[in-house]
Amino acid sequence: MRVDIISVVPDLLNSPFAHSIMKRAADKGLLEVHVHNLRDYSDLRNQQVDDYQFGGGAGMVLMCEPLAKAIDDLQSRYRYDEVIYMTPDGKTLDQRTANRLSLKENLLIICGHYKGIDERIRELYITMELSIGDYVLSGGELAACVLVDAIGRLIPGVLNDETSALTDSFQDNLLAPPVYTRPAEFRGLKVPDELLSGNHKKIDDWRTQQALERTKARRPDLLQE
Ligand code: 6GU
């Protein structure tokens, strides 16, 4: 998968993809992330990319021209499956959407900043608008990192048996069961007998039961779906 990201703060987007599972995805040739500085597409003095909003009001808006120029340039070179705008008024990202996007070849992600981007860019170019939750961030960059991480780990071949996504929380609308490692007893707290039993059926049943109980207690909304 190739992911292109357009941002006015490209430095925010570098380190998250250079470690751990995202790094392994890149090393295996399964995920390529390319970050583009919106200012490189400005024809104005000081590489200006934002302006005051019509109608007045606090906060700057990312202008049409640099964004259109950046997207046109990238679209002339790659055929994107989705052009995604990260915005708090988008659809909230969930595991189902991450699963679906992980099967795409080329994604273009636009990060807003300040008050966001000119509405006409949304009308003309954007095919999908995503939020990562009901709170406001200073810009779309951290949200884009969250999105690429959530998608990247699901790309076929990125995870192995040890890191398999099949047992993640949300993968079947259930939270994951508790996990334990050595020692078998820590400060008087024991690992549940079922997990030490060596009986795979017993272990699976215990995990399913715990996942159900945990979901019922913490996220009953997931069980309604
Ligand atoms: Cl995608 N962007 C911003 N600026 N804030 C957010 C968000 C996105 N998702 C939640 N809050």
Side-chain angles (χ1 to χ4, degrees), residues 66-141:
L67 275 169
K69 202 172 155 190
I71 301 171
D72 285 343
D73 174 41
L74 287 164
Q75 279 186 328
S76 73
R77 291 187 277 148
Y78 306 99
R79 204 200 58 73
Y80 293 103
D81 299 292
E82 300 284 356
V83 180
I84 304 171
Y85 175 44
M86 303 309 300
T87 175
D89 63 11
K91 176 181 173 286
T92 307
L93 176 64
D94 57 17
Q95 196 65 29
R96 183 201 305 256
T97 303
N99 282 336
R100 197 157 54 76
L101 289 174
S102 72
L103 302 174
K104 305 293 187 189
E105 278 306 313
N106 295 298
L107 299 176
L108 177 55
I109 302 176
I110 317 295
C111 300
H113 227 81
Y114 319 113
K115 281 288 159 191
I117 67 177
D118 190 297
E119 186 69 17
R120 291 164 292 186
I121 294 297
R122 296 170 75 157
E123 280 175 33
L124 290 168
Y125 290 101
I126 302 298
T127 62
M128 185 177 222
E129 301 187 325
L130 290 177
S131 160
I132 61 163
D134 291 344
Y135 43 82
V136 175
L137 303 169
S138 329
E141 285 77 13

Coordinates of all heavy atoms in Angstrom, one line a residue, residues 66-141:
P66 N -3.3 26.0 -3.2 CA -2.2 25.1 -2.9 C -2.7 23.7 -2.7 O -2.0 22.7 -3.2 CB -1.6 25.6 -1.5 CG -2.1 27.0 -1.4 CD -3.4 27.1 -2.2
L67 N -3.9 23.5 -2.1 CA -4.4 22.1 -1.9 C -4.7 21.5 -3.2 O -4.4 20.4 -3.5 CB -5.6 22.2 -1.0 CG -5.4 22.1 0.5 CD1 -6.6 22.4 1.3 CD2 -4.8 20.8 0.9
A68 N -5.4 22.3 -4.1 CA -5.8 21.8 -5.4 C -4.6 21.4 -6.2 O -4.5 20.3 -6.9 CB -6.7 22.8 -6.2
K69 N -3.6 22.2 -6.1 CA -2.3 22.0 -6.9 C -1.6 20.7 -6.4 O -1.2 19.9 -7.2 CB -1.4 23.2 -6.7 CG -0.4 23.3 -7.8 CD 0.3 24.7 -7.6 CE 1.7 24.6 -8.2 NZ 2.6 25.8 -7.9
A70 N -1.6 20.6 -5.0 CA -1.0 19.4 -4.5 C -1.7 18.1 -4.8 O -1.1 17.1 -5.3 CB -0.9 19.5 -2.9
I71 N -3.0 18.2 -4.7 CA -3.8 17.0 -5.0 C -3.8 16.6 -6.5 O -3.6 15.5 -6.9 CB -5.3 17.1 -4.5 CG1 -5.4 17.4 -3.0 CG2 -6.1 15.9 -4.9 CD1 -6.7 17.8 -2.5
D72 N -3.9 17.7 -7.4 CA -3.8 17.4 -8.8 C -2.5 16.8 -9.2 O -2.4 15.8 -10.0 CB -3.9 18.8 -9.6 CG -5.3 19.3 -9.6 OD1 -6.3 18.5 -9.4 OD2 -5.5 20.5 -9.9
D73 N -1.4 17.3 -8.6 CA -0.1 16.8 -8.9 C 0.0 15.3 -8.5 O 0.4 14.4 -9.3 CB 1.0 17.6 -8.1 CG 2.4 17.0 -8.3 OD1 2.7 16.5 -9.4 OD2 3.1 16.9 -7.2
L74 N -0.4 15.0 -7.3 CA -0.4 13.6 -6.8 C -1.3 12.7 -7.7 O -1.0 11.6 -8.0 CB -0.7 13.5 -5.3 CG 0.5 14.0 -4.5 CD1 0.0 14.3 -3.1 CD2 1.6 13.0 -4.5
Q75 N -2.5 13.2 -8.0 CA -3.5 12.4 -8.7 C -3.0 12.2 -10.2 O -3.4 11.2 -10.8 CB -4.9 13.0 -8.7 CG -5.6 12.7 -7.4 CD -7.0 13.2 -7.4 OE1 -7.3 14.3 -8.0 NE2 -7.9 12.5 -6.7
S76 N -2.1 13.0 -10.7 CA -1.6 12.8 -12.0 C -0.6 11.6 -12.0 O -0.3 11.1 -13.1 CB -1.0 14.1 -12.6 OG 0.3 14.3 -12.0
R77 N -0.1 11.3 -10.8 CA 0.9 10.3 -10.8 C 0.4 9.0 -10.2 O 0.9 7.9 -10.4 CB 2.1 10.8 -9.9 CG 2.9 11.9 -10.7 CD 4.1 12.2 -9.9 NE 3.9 13.2 -8.8 CZ 4.6 13.3 -7.7 NH1 5.5 12.4 -7.5 NH2 4.3 14.2 -6.8
Y78 N -0.7 9.0 -9.3 CA -1.2 7.8 -8.7 C -2.7 7.8 -8.8 O -3.3 8.9 -8.8 CB -0.8 7.8 -7.2 CG 0.7 7.9 -7.1 CD1 1.3 9.1 -6.7 CD2 1.6 6.8 -7.3 CE1 2.7 9.3 -6.6 CE2 2.9 7.0 -7.2 CZ 3.5 8.2 -6.9 OH 4.8 8.3 -6.8
R79 N -3.3 6.6 -8.8 CA -4.7 6.5 -8.8 C -5.2 6.1 -7.4 O -5.0 5.0 -7.0 CB -5.1 5.4 -9.8 CG -6.5 5.5 -10.4 CD -7.0 4.2 -10.9 NE -7.0 3.2 -9.9 CZ -7.9 3.1 -8.9 NH1 -8.8 4.0 -8.8 NH2 -7.8 2.1 -8.0
Y80 N -5.8 7.1 -6.7 CA -6.1 6.9 -5.3 C -7.5 6.2 -5.2 O -8.4 6.5 -5.8 CB -6.1 8.2 -4.6 CG -4.7 8.8 -4.4 CD1 -4.3 9.8 -5.3 CD2 -3.8 8.2 -3.6 CE1 -3.0 10.3 -5.2 CE2 -2.5 8.7 -3.5 CZ -2.1 9.7 -4.3 OH -0.9 10.2 -4.3
D81 N -7.5 5.2 -4.3 CA -8.8 4.5 -4.0 C -9.7 5.4 -3.2 O -10.9 5.4 -3.3 CB -8.5 3.2 -3.2 CG -7.7 2.3 -4.0 OD1 -8.2 1.7 -5.0 OD2 -6.5 2.0 -3.6
E82 N -9.1 6.2 -2.3 CA -9.8 7.2 -1.5 C -9.0 8.5 -1.3 O -7.7 8.4 -1.1 CB -10.2 6.7 -0.1 CG -11.0 5.4 -0.1 CD -12.5 5.7 -0.4 OE1 -12.9 6.8 -0.6 OE2 -13.3 4.6 -0.5
V83 N -9.6 9.6 -1.3 CA -9.0 10.9 -0.9 C -9.6 11.2 0.4 O -10.8 11.6 0.5 CB -9.1 12.0 -1.9 CG1 -8.5 13.3 -1.5 CG2 -8.6 11.5 -3.3
I84 N -8.9 11.1 1.5 CA -9.4 11.2 2.9 C -9.1 12.5 3.5 O -7.9 12.9 3.6 CB -8.9 10.0 3.7 CG1 -9.2 8.6 3.1 CG2 -9.5 10.1 5.2 CD1 -8.5 7.4 3.7
Y85 N -10.1 13.2 4.1 CA -9.8 14.4 4.8 C -10.0 14.1 6.3 O -11.1 13.6 6.7 CB -10.8 15.5 4.4 CG -10.7 16.8 5.2 CD1 -9.5 17.3 5.5 CD2 -11.9 17.4 5.5 CE1 -9.4 18.5 6.3 CE2 -11.8 18.6 6.3 CZ -10.6 19.1 6.6 OH -10.5 20.3 7.4
M86 N -9.0 14.4 7.1 CA -9.1 14.2 8.6 C -9.7 15.4 9.2 O -9.2 16.5 9.1 CB -7.7 14.0 9.2 CG -6.9 12.8 8.6 SD -7.7 11.2 8.5 CE -8.1 10.9 10.2
T87 N -10.9 15.2 9.8 CA -11.6 16.3 10.3 C -12.6 15.9 11.5 O -13.1 14.8 11.4 CB -12.5 17.0 9.2 OG1 -13.3 18.0 9.8 CG2 -13.4 16.0 8.5
P88 N -12.7 16.7 12.6 CA -13.5 16.3 13.7 C -15.0 16.1 13.3 O -15.7 15.4 14.0 CB -13.3 17.4 14.7 CG -12.5 18.4 14.1 CD -11.9 17.9 12.8
D89 N -15.4 16.7 12.2 CA -16.8 16.5 11.8 C -17.0 15.3 10.8 O -18.1 15.2 10.2 CB -17.5 17.8 11.2 CG -16.8 18.3 10.0 OD1 -16.0 17.6 9.4 OD2 -17.1 19.5 9.6
G90 N -15.9 14.5 10.6 CA -16.0 13.3 9.8 C -16.7 12.2 10.5 O -17.1 12.3 11.7
K91 N -16.8 11.0 9.8 CA -17.3 9.8 10.4 C -16.2 9.2 11.4 O -15.1 9.2 11.0 CB -17.6 8.8 9.3 CG -18.1 7.4 9.8 CD -18.3 6.5 8.6 CE -18.6 5.1 9.0 NZ -17.4 4.3 9.5
T92 N -16.7 8.8 12.5 CA -15.7 8.3 13.5 C -15.0 7.0 13.0 O -15.7 6.1 12.6 CB -16.4 8.1 14.9 OG1 -17.0 9.3 15.2 CG2 -15.3 7.8 15.9
L93 N -13.7 7.0 13.0 CA -13.0 5.8 12.6 C -13.3 4.6 13.5 O -13.3 4.8 14.7 CB -11.5 6.1 12.7 CG -10.5 5.0 12.4 CD1 -10.6 4.5 10.9 CD2 -9.1 5.4 12.7
D94 N -13.6 3.5 12.9 CA -13.7 2.2 13.7 C -13.0 1.1 13.0 O -12.4 1.3 11.9 CB -15.2 1.9 13.9 CG -16.0 1.8 12.5 OD1 -15.3 1.6 11.5 OD2 -17.2 1.8 12.5
Q95 N -13.0 -0.1 13.7 CA -12.2 -1.2 13.2 C -12.7 -1.7 11.8 O -11.9 -2.1 11.0 CB -12.2 -2.3 14.2 CG -11.1 -3.4 14.0 CD -9.7 -2.8 14.2 OE1 -9.5 -1.9 14.9 NE2 -8.8 -3.4 13.4
R96 N -14.0 -1.6 11.6 CA -14.5 -2.0 10.3 C -14.0 -1.2 9.2 O -13.6 -1.7 8.1 CB -16.1 -1.9 10.3 CG -16.8 -2.4 9.1 CD -18.1 -1.8 9.0 NE -18.9 -2.1 10.1 CZ -19.9 -3.0 10.2 NH1 -20.2 -3.7 9.2 NH2 -20.6 -3.2 11.3
T97 N -13.9 0.1 9.4 CA -13.4 1.0 8.3 C -11.9 0.8 8.2 O -11.4 0.7 7.0 CB -13.6 2.5 8.7 OG1 -15.0 2.7 9.0 CG2 -13.1 3.5 7.7
A98 N -11.2 0.5 9.3 CA -9.7 0.2 9.2 C -9.5 -1.1 8.4 O -8.7 -1.1 7.5 CB -9.1 0.1 10.5
N99 N -10.3 -2.1 8.6 CA -10.2 -3.3 7.9 C -10.4 -3.1 6.4 O -9.7 -3.6 5.6 CB -11.3 -4.3 8.4 CG -10.9 -5.0 9.7 OD1 -9.7 -5.1 10.1 ND2 -11.9 -5.4 10.4
R100 N -11.5 -2.3 6.1 CA -11.8 -2.1 4.7 C -10.7 -1.3 4.0 O -10.2 -1.7 2.9 CB -13.1 -1.3 4.6 CG -13.8 -1.3 3.3 CD -15.3 -1.1 3.4 NE -15.6 0.2 4.1 CZ -15.5 1.4 3.5 NH1 -15.0 1.5 2.3 NH2 -15.7 2.5 4.2
L101 N -10.1 -0.3 4.6 CA -9.1 0.5 4.0 C -7.8 -0.2 3.9 O -7.0 0.1 3.0 CB -8.9 1.8 4.8 CG -10.0 2.8 4.7 CD1 -9.8 4.0 5.7 CD2 -10.2 3.3 3.3
S102 N -7.6 -1.3 4.7 CA -6.3 -2.0 4.7 C -6.1 -2.8 3.4 O -5.0 -3.3 3.1 CB -6.2 -2.9 5.9 OG -7.0 -4.0 5.8
L103 N -7.2 -3.0 2.7 CA -7.2 -3.8 1.4 C -7.0 -2.9 0.2 O -6.9 -3.4 -0.9 CB -8.5 -4.6 1.3 CG -8.7 -5.5 2.4 CD1 -10.1 -6.2 2.3 CD2 -7.6 -6.6 2.5
K104 N -6.8 -1.5 0.4 CA -6.7 -0.6 -0.7 C -5.2 -0.5 -1.2 O -4.3 -0.9 -0.4 CB -7.2 0.8 -0.3 CG -8.6 0.8 0.2 CD -9.6 0.5 -0.9 CE -11.0 0.7 -0.4 NZ -12.0 0.2 -1.4
E105 N -5.0 0.0 -2.4 CA -3.6 0.1 -2.9 C -3.0 1.5 -2.6 O -1.8 1.6 -2.2 CB -3.6 -0.1 -4.4 CG -3.6 -1.6 -4.8 CD -2.5 -2.4 -4.2 OE1 -1.3 -1.9 -4.2 OE2 -2.8 -3.4 -3.7
N106 N -3.8 2.5 -2.9 CA -3.3 3.9 -2.8 C -4.3 4.8 -2.0 O -5.4 4.9 -2.4 CB -3.1 4.5 -4.2 CG -2.0 3.8 -5.0 OD1 -0.9 3.8 -4.6 ND2 -2.4 3.2 -6.1
L107 N -3.8 5.4 -1.0 CA -4.6 6.4 -0.2 C -4.0 7.7 -0.2 O -2.7 7.8 0.0 CB -4.8 5.9 1.2 CG -5.5 4.5 1.4 CD1 -5.5 4.1 2.9 CD2 -6.9 4.5 0.8
L108 N -4.8 8.8 -0.3 CA -4.3 10.1 -0.1 C -5.0 10.7 1.1 O -6.2 10.7 1.2 CB -4.6 11.0 -1.4 CG -4.2 12.4 -1.4 CD1 -2.7 12.6 -1.0 CD2 -4.5 13.1 -2.7
I109 N -4.2 11.2 2.0 CA -4.8 11.8 3.2 C -4.4 13.3 3.3 O -3.3 13.7 3.2 CB -4.2 11.1 4.5 CG1 -4.5 9.6 4.4 CG2 -4.8 11.7 5.8 CD1 -3.9 8.8 5.6
I110 N -5.5 14.1 3.6 CA -5.3 15.5 3.7 C -5.5 15.9 5.2 O -6.5 15.6 5.8 CB -6.4 16.3 2.9 CG1 -6.6 15.7 1.5 CG2 -6.0 17.8 2.8 CD1 -5.4 15.8 0.6
C111 N -4.5 16.6 5.7 CA -4.5 17.0 7.1 C -4.9 18.5 7.1 O -4.3 19.3 6.5 CB -3.2 16.9 7.8 SG -2.6 15.2 7.8
G112 N -6.0 18.8 7.8 CA -6.4 20.2 8.0 C -5.6 20.8 9.1 O -4.9 20.2 9.9
H113 N -5.6 22.2 9.2 CA -5.0 22.8 10.3 C -5.8 24.1 10.5 O -6.6 24.5 9.7 CB -3.5 23.1 10.0 CG -2.7 22.8 11.2 ND1 -2.3 21.5 11.4 CD2 -2.2 23.5 12.2 CE1 -1.5 21.4 12.5 NE2 -1.5 22.6 13.0
Y114 N -5.6 24.8 11.7 CA -6.4 26.0 12.0 C -7.8 25.6 12.0 O -8.2 24.6 12.5 CB -6.0 27.1 11.0 CG -4.5 27.2 10.7 CD1 -4.0 26.9 9.5 CD2 -3.6 27.5 11.8 CE1 -2.6 26.9 9.3 CE2 -2.3 27.5 11.6 CZ -1.8 27.2 10.3 OH -0.4 27.2 10.1
K115 N -8.7 26.4 11.2 CA -10.1 26.1 11.2 C -10.5 25.0 10.2 O -11.6 24.7 10.0 CB -10.9 27.4 10.9 CG -11.0 28.3 12.1 CD -12.0 27.8 13.1 CE -11.8 28.4 14.4 NZ -12.5 27.7 15.5
G116 N -9.5 24.5 9.4 CA -9.8 23.5 8.4 C -9.5 24.0 7.0 O -8.8 24.9 6.8
I117 N -10.1 23.3 6.0 CA -9.8 23.6 4.6 C -11.1 24.2 4.0 O -12.2 24.0 4.5 CB -9.4 22.3 3.9 CG1 -10.5 21.3 3.7 CG2 -8.2 21.7 4.5 CD1 -10.2 20.1 2.9
D118 N -10.9 25.0 2.9 CA -12.0 25.6 2.2 C -13.0 24.5 1.8 O -12.6 23.4 1.3 CB -11.4 26.3 0.9 CG -12.4 27.2 0.2 OD1 -13.5 26.6 -0.3 OD2 -12.2 28.4 0.2
E119 N -14.3 24.8 2.0 CA -15.3 23.8 1.8 C -15.3 23.2 0.3 O -15.6 22.1 0.1 CB -16.7 24.4 2.1 CG -17.9 23.5 2.0 CD -17.9 22.4 3.1 OE1 -17.2 22.6 4.1 OE2 -18.6 21.4 2.9
R120 N -14.9 24.1 -0.6 CA -14.9 23.7 -2.1 C -13.9 22.5 -2.4 O -14.1 21.7 -3.2 CB -14.7 24.9 -3.0 CG -15.9 25.8 -2.9 CD -15.5 27.2 -3.4 NE -14.6 27.9 -2.5 CZ -14.2 29.2 -2.7 NH1 -14.7 29.9 -3.7 NH2 -13.4 29.7 -1.9
I121 N -12.8 22.5 -1.6 CA -11.9 21.4 -1.8 C -12.6 20.1 -1.3 O -12.4 19.0 -1.9 CB -10.6 21.6 -1.0 CG1 -9.8 22.8 -1.5 CG2 -9.7 20.4 -0.9 CD1 -9.3 22.6 -3.0
R122 N -13.4 20.2 -0.2 CA -14.1 19.0 0.2 C -15.1 18.5 -0.9 O -15.2 17.3 -1.2 CB -14.8 19.3 1.5 CG -13.9 19.6 2.7 CD -14.5 20.1 3.9 NE -15.2 19.1 4.7 CZ -15.5 19.2 6.0 NH1 -15.1 20.3 6.7 NH2 -16.1 18.2 6.6
E123 N -15.8 19.5 -1.5 CA -16.7 19.1 -2.5 C -16.1 18.5 -3.7 O -16.6 17.6 -4.4 CB -17.5 20.4 -3.0 CG -18.6 20.8 -2.0 CD -19.3 22.1 -2.5 OE1 -19.4 22.4 -3.7 OE2 -19.7 22.8 -1.6
L124 N -14.9 19.1 -4.1 CA -14.3 18.8 -5.4 C -13.5 17.5 -5.3 O -13.4 16.7 -6.3 CB -13.4 19.9 -5.9 CG -14.2 21.2 -6.4 CD1 -13.2 22.3 -6.6 CD2 -14.9 20.9 -7.7
Y125 N -12.8 17.3 -4.2 CA -11.8 16.2 -4.2 C -12.0 15.1 -3.2 O -11.5 14.0 -3.4 CB -10.4 16.8 -3.9 CG -9.8 17.7 -5.0 CD1 -9.9 19.1 -4.9 CD2 -9.2 17.1 -6.1 CE1 -9.3 19.8 -5.9 CE2 -8.6 17.9 -7.0 CZ -8.7 19.2 -6.9 OH -8.1 20.0 -7.9
I126 N -12.6 15.4 -2.0 CA -12.6 14.5 -0.9 C -13.6 13.4 -1.1 O -14.8 13.6 -1.4 CB -12.8 15.2 0.4 CG1 -11.8 16.3 0.6 CG2 -12.9 14.3 1.6 CD1 -10.4 15.8 0.7
T127 N -13.2 12.1 -0.9 CA -14.2 11.0 -1.1 C -14.5 10.4 0.3 O -15.5 9.6 0.4 CB -13.6 9.9 -1.9 OG1 -12.4 9.4 -1.3 CG2 -13.2 10.4 -3.3
M128 N -13.8 10.8 1.3 CA -14.1 10.2 2.6 C -13.6 11.1 3.7 O -12.5 11.7 3.6 CB -13.3 8.9 2.7 CG -13.5 8.1 3.9 SD -12.6 6.5 3.8 CE -13.7 5.4 4.4
E129 N -14.4 11.4 4.8 CA -14.0 12.3 5.8 C -14.0 11.5 7.1 O -15.0 10.9 7.5 CB -15.0 13.5 5.9 CG -15.0 14.2 4.6 CD -15.8 15.5 4.6 OE1 -16.8 15.6 5.3 OE2 -15.4 16.5 3.9
L130 N -12.9 11.5 7.8 CA -12.8 10.7 9.0 C -12.3 11.5 10.2 O -11.5 12.4 10.1 CB -11.7 9.6 8.8 CG -12.1 8.5 7.9 CD1 -11.0 7.5 7.7 CD2 -13.4 7.7 8.4
S131 N -12.9 11.2 11.4 CA -12.5 11.8 12.7 C -12.0 10.6 13.5 O -12.3 9.4 13.2 CB -13.8 12.3 13.3 OG -13.6 12.5 14.7
I132 N -11.2 10.9 14.5 CA -10.8 9.8 15.4 C -11.5 9.8 16.8 O -11.1 9.1 17.7 CB -9.3 9.6 15.6 CG1 -8.7 10.9 16.2 CG2 -8.6 9.4 14.2 CD1 -7.3 10.7 16.7
G133 N -12.5 10.7 16.9 CA -13.2 10.7 18.2 C -13.8 12.1 18.5 O -13.4 13.1 17.8
D134 N -14.6 12.2 19.5 CA -15.3 13.4 19.8 C -14.5 14.4 20.7 O -14.9 14.5 21.9 CB -16.7 13.1 20.4 CG -17.6 12.5 19.3 OD1 -17.3 12.6 18.1 OD2 -18.6 11.9 19.7
Y135 N -13.5 14.9 20.2 CA -12.6 15.9 20.8 C -11.9 16.6 19.7 O -11.8 16.1 18.6 CB -11.7 15.2 21.8 CG -11.0 14.0 21.3 CD1 -9.9 14.1 20.4 CD2 -11.6 12.7 21.5 CE1 -9.4 13.0 19.9 CE2 -11.0 11.6 21.0 CZ -9.9 11.7 20.1 OH -9.4 10.6 19.6
V136 N -11.3 17.8 20.0 CA -10.7 18.5 18.9 C -9.2 18.6 19.1 O -8.7 18.9 20.2 CB -11.3 20.0 18.8 CG1 -10.5 20.8 17.8 CG2 -12.7 19.9 18.5
L137 N -8.5 18.2 18.0 CA -7.0 18.3 18.0 C -6.6 19.6 17.2 O -7.4 20.1 16.5 CB -6.4 17.1 17.2 CG -6.8 15.7 17.8 CD1 -6.4 14.6 16.8 CD2 -6.2 15.5 19.1
S138 N -5.4 20.0 17.4 CA -4.9 21.2 16.7 C -4.8 21.1 15.2 O -4.8 22.0 14.5 CB -3.5 21.6 17.2 OG -3.3 21.2 18.5
G139 N -4.7 19.8 14.8 CA -4.6 19.6 13.3 C -4.9 18.1 13.0 O -5.0 17.3 14.0
G140 N -5.0 17.8 11.8 CA -5.3 16.4 11.4 C -4.1 15.5 11.4 O -4.3 14.2 11.2
E141 N -2.9 16.0 11.7 CA -1.7 15.1 11.6 C -1.7 14.0 12.6 O -1.4 12.8 12.2 CB -0.4 16.0 11.8 CG 0.0 16.8 10.7 CD -0.9 18.1 10.6 OE1 -1.6 18.4 11.5 OE2 -0.8 18.8 9.5

